[in-house]
Amino acid sequence: MIRIDSVTKRYPDGTVAVDGLSLEIPDRSITVLVGPSGCGKTTTLRMINRMVEPSEGSILLDGADIRQQPVNTLRRSMGYVIQNAGLFQHRTIVDNIATVPRLLGWSKQRARARAAELMERVGLDSALAKRYPYQLSGGQQQRVGVARALAADPPVLLMDEPFSAVDPVVRKGLQDELLRIQDELGKTIVFVTHDIDEAVKLGTMVAVLRTGGRLAQYAPPAELLSAPADPFVEDFLGADRGIRRLSFFPSAALELETAPVVPVDADATRIAASASADVPLLLVTDPDGRPLGWGEPKDLTAGRIATERLLPYGRPFVHGTDSLRAALDCAVLSPTGWAVGVDGDGRVVGVVSQQSIGEAIRAAHTAAHTDESGAAHTDKRVDKRVDKRDDDVRAAG
Ligand code: ADP
């Protein structure tokens, strides 16, 4: 949908902010521009809505040069979200969100109804509608910024470090919310950040830029983590990229064991049958099948297991939904070295050892290396959006 074609930006003082950049930005997906401060991310983003004009090269939107349409028309097709939200301080929240619809000539009533709908979509309580921006937290203001950018339903969303000014917990909430909204709306989002973890989490495609505005690598996150193009990208990805890559492998591949799982009212025969040399500890569950903790068979009095003496089971992983990274994390945190797998309702499905997880990781790596399409099928988010687009095409046809 957006094609950046050999674009260079030289500022009047001679600074080359972007140097011969070419990128194909797929539609209905999140493309992240990431790199160290000053590598030309903001300049690139601003050239897409013509806040900055390229010195050389061109940018195409749906095949047409963006200079062919009036700049105001172009900008109304592109929502824009910046750090600290950039809200109008003298306007209420509802009027901030209604800004663009009002500019487009919508009636006040219709624009406010649209604003109310968007507040709900971005997770804002309608009670905040009449407040002013200074009466909101940083995270809430950022949600208003996203709602305002979406108000006129533009196909493109440009986001410049939108979540950088809020604390890590609020930030995670905003990221999750963006992914959820994107699943519903399927916008073409170009997202700037200096945070590689944010890039890997949000991006369908990630463009790593180096100082001087040159492209170092352009790839889906799983591919970036498995095959960094050069030492700069590798360094930028950080020391634990192998662990982070496991986020792209589903835990469904793990074979869970059910023998070492016993209900709290298990009798002596059951406890004796469950214990084995391989699994010296047993996982005890409550009558609903939820985990209580680990115990040694000899401490588990038949019919009356003393739950207060059980060892903690750590944080369980949701089998099939969570990734191999989550499963490994459970095993590492568990005092027994075994991870507990649960279903969506928190009921135990089975347990798995660090060793088995290690074997599944090796198998997943081997499969990804031998299968040319490995990167695509390990990035589920890509598939979901493609499916959605196909549905839209079918609906339209
Ligand atoms: P990033 O978003 O990656 O931090 P920017 O696109 O903001 O990078 O800036 C890229 C380079 O261009 C930097 O060296 C910056 O100092 C320079 N720059 C940005 N805006 C201007 C400007 N208006 N005039 C001159 N230099 C600029």
Side-chain angles (χ1 to χ4, degrees):
M1 186 181 208
I2 301 172
R3 204 169 118 200
I4 299 177
D5 199 3
S6 310
V7 163
T8 293
K9 175 62 191 179
R10 211 172 291 110
Y11 283 110
D13 66 359
T15 305
V16 178
V18 177
D19 188 6
L21 181 68
S22 292
L23 277 184
E24 296 247 0
I25 295 172
D27 61 356
R28 292 174 171 274
S29 59
I30 303 180
T31 297
V32 180
L33 308 179
V34 69
S37 180
C39 70
K41 305 182 292 293
T42 295
T43 300
T44 303
L45 195 75
R46 289 176 167 214
M47 286 193 286
I48 297 174
N49 69 1
R50 293 188 61 192
M51 288 168 77
V52 172
E53 296 289 353
S55 313
E56 288 164 34
S58 54
I59 298 178
L60 308 181
L61 177 64
D62 287 335
D65 194 310
I66 56 173
R67 287 169 290 205
Q68 283 173 3
Q69 57 177 313
V71 73
N72 283 343
T73 314
L74 178 78
R75 289 195 192 146
R76 279 171 199 164
S77 70
M78 298 181 171
Y80 186 50
V81 189
I82 57 172
Q83 195 173 357
N84 291 320
L87 302 177
F88 302 117
Q89 295 299 323
H90 59 286
R91 284 192 202 163
T92 60
I93 299 312
V94 68
D95 286 342
N96 258 286
I97 299 173
T99 302
V100 178
R102 291 287 287 152
L103 282 173
L104 292 173
W106 296 24
S107 72
K108 205 166 203 172
Q109 196 182 9
R110 186 176 162 219
R112 286 194 168 167
R114 171 72 176 151
E117 178 195 323
L118 281 163
M119 284 184 72
E120 192 180 334
R121 191 177 285 287
V122 301
L124 282 170
D125 193 326
S126 58
L128 302 175
K130 295 278 172 57
R131 289 202 192 170
Y132 288 87
Y134 76 90
Q135 296 169 310
L136 264 54
S137 71
Q140 287 169 333
Q141 290 190 34
Q142 216 55 65
R143 283 172 201 262
V144 177
V146 173
R148 186 179 60 178
L150 289 169
D153 203 19
V156 175
L157 215 51
L158 306 178
M159 308 184 80
D160 193 351
E161 300 264 10
F163 308 146
S164 297
V166 294
D167 68 67
V169 175
V170 173
R171 189 173 194 182
K172 181 182 178 301
L174 291 167
Q175 291 167 346
D176 292 342
E177 198 77 12
L178 180 67
L179 287 173
R180 193 186 57 71
I181 292 171
Q182 173 63 357
D183 269 346
E184 287 170 14
L185 301 182
K187 300 291 178 189
T188 299
I189 299 178
V190 189
F191 189 105
V192 162
T193 182
H194 60 268
D195 175 352
I196 187 65
D197 285 325
E198 186 165 70
V200 165
K201 175 172 177 180
L202 297 180
T204 309
M205 289 293 287
V206 177
V208 184
L209 301 177
R210 65 173 97 239
T211 310
R214 274 169 296 125
L215 186 64
Q217 189 166 5
Y218 188 43
E223 191 181 319
L224 207 64
L225 290 167
S226 64
D230 60 25
F232 167 79
V233 179
E234 188 167 13
D235 201 39
F236 193 69
L237 286 166
D240 55 353
R241 72 180 166 89
I243 298 284
R244 283 188 284 151
R245 186 175 173 232
L246 295 179
S247 303
F248 293 91
F249 297 122
S251 61
L254 292 172
E255 280 184 34
L256 306 189
E257 292 185 39
T258 51
V261 181
V262 296
V264 69
D265 56 0
D267 61 23
T269 320
R270 173 79 188 268
I271 291 172
S274 299
S276 76
D278 288 350
V279 192
L281 294 169
L282 299 178
L283 182 77
V284 180
T285 61
D286 73 9
D288 287 330
R290 295 194 169 79
L292 291 171
W294 294 94
E296 284 190 46
K298 68 174 170 46
D299 292 338
L300 305 179
T301 318
R304 269 190 317 127
I305 290 173
T307 51
E308 64 280 1
R309 291 184 51 199
L310 298 174
L311 288 169
Y313 56 88
R315 188 210 290 246
F317 69 98
V318 182
H319 189 230
T321 305
D322 282 343
S323 66
L324 279 184
R325 180 180 177 172
L328 181 65
D329 198 56
C330 294
V332 169
L333 289 175
S334 163
T336 59
W338 284 64
V340 176
V342 295
D343 64 16
D345 295 323
R347 295 192 173 85
V348 176
V349 185
V351 293
V352 59
S353 67
Q354 272 181 20
Q355 191 185 344
S356 299
I357 297 172
E359 283 160 14
I361 290 169
R362 279 191 291 282
H365 279 181
T366 310
H369 279 300
T370 51
D371 177 359
E372 284 295 316
S373 63
H377 76 66
T378 52
D379 190 343
K380 283 187 287 180
R381 296 193 305 263
V382 179
D383 298 341
K384 217 186 289 171
R385 277 185 207 118
V386 170
D387 290 343
K388 194 165 181 300
R389 183 177 54 208
D390 289 346
D391 286 344
D392 291 347
V393 169
R394 272 193 291 277

